[in-house]
């Protein structure tokens, strides 16, 4: 069974930065395609970013392009989301997700992911 866990959420003022981390265990980490999704109250869960198993392929949601950066270190079983220039619209619960995928791509839809963390809250005040 794959276990996924996020860390690093918190509260920050607009214009600030936060760094989220995610670890996964139970399968070889480099067999896993990983993603970050977020969900604000009353809204659907949306893609923030995803990364292929090797890290060579990344995708971003339109609202976070050029502000957020996803990366992974397979030797440390860790994925990181660096979030810069945060604004109130980024306030949401952020979830780390994983799926076993040996292809060189990552998935933009949350329905493609089998394993989810409990989420970490990010709150940005104006």
């Amino acid at each position: 069974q794959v276990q996924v866990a996020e860390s690093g959420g918190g509260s920050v003022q607009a214009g600030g930065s936060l760094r989220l981390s995610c670890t996964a265990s139970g399968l070889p980490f480099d067999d896993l395609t990983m993603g970050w999704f977020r969900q604000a109250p009353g809204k659907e869960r949306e893609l923030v970013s995803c990364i292929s198993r090797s890290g060579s392929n990344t995708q971003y949601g339109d609202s976070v392009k050029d502000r957020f950066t996803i990366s992974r270190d397979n030797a440390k079983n860790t994925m990181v989301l660096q979030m810069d220039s945060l604004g109130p619209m980024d306030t949401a619960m952020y979830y780390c997700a994983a799926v076993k995928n040996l292809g060189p791509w990552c998935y933009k839809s949350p329905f493609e992911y089998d394993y989810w963390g409990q989420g970490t809250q990010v709150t940005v005040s104006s």
Side-chain angles (χ1 to χ4, degrees):
Q1 184 175 351
V2 177
Q3 294 187 324
V4 177
E6 311 93 341
S7 61
S11 297
V12 66
Q13 289 192 328
S17 299
L18 282 174
R19 186 178 175 93
L20 304 183
S21 295
C22 174
T23 60
S25 60
L27 283 175
F29 191 73
D30 58 3
D31 281 357
L32 298 173
T33 289
M34 306 290 293
W36 286 102
F37 293 83
R38 67 185 182 186
Q39 189 167 18
K43 295 189 176 181
E44 292 185 352
R45 192 166 294 191
E46 65 173 358
L47 172 76
V48 177
S49 186
C50 66
I51 188 166
S52 62
R53 55 191 290 254
S54 71
S56 61
N57 187 341
T58 60
Q59 302 285 333
Y60 292 90
D62 289 341
S63 62
V64 307
K65 283 179 181 177
D66 300 323
R67 298 189 298 123
F68 292 8
T69 304
I70 194 170
S71 61
R72 65 188 293 163
D73 185 338
N74 288 344
K76 297 181 178 179
N77 289 5
T78 299
M79 175 180 65
V80 171
L81 182 71
Q82 177 66 39
M83 304 187 295
D84 298 318
S85 301
L86 285 162
M89 66 287 192
D90 296 313
T91 295
M93 185 72 78
Y94 283 69
Y95 297 91
C96 177
V99 61
K100 182 175 180 178
N101 171 33
L102 300 183
W105 57 86
C106 66
Y107 299 110
K108 300 177 73 173
S109 169
F111 298 105
E112 300 287 351
Y113 292 82
D114 293 327
Y115 311 106
W116 292 83
Q118 295 295 311
T120 184
Q121 179 68 38
V122 170
T123 302
V124 185
S125 58
S126 58

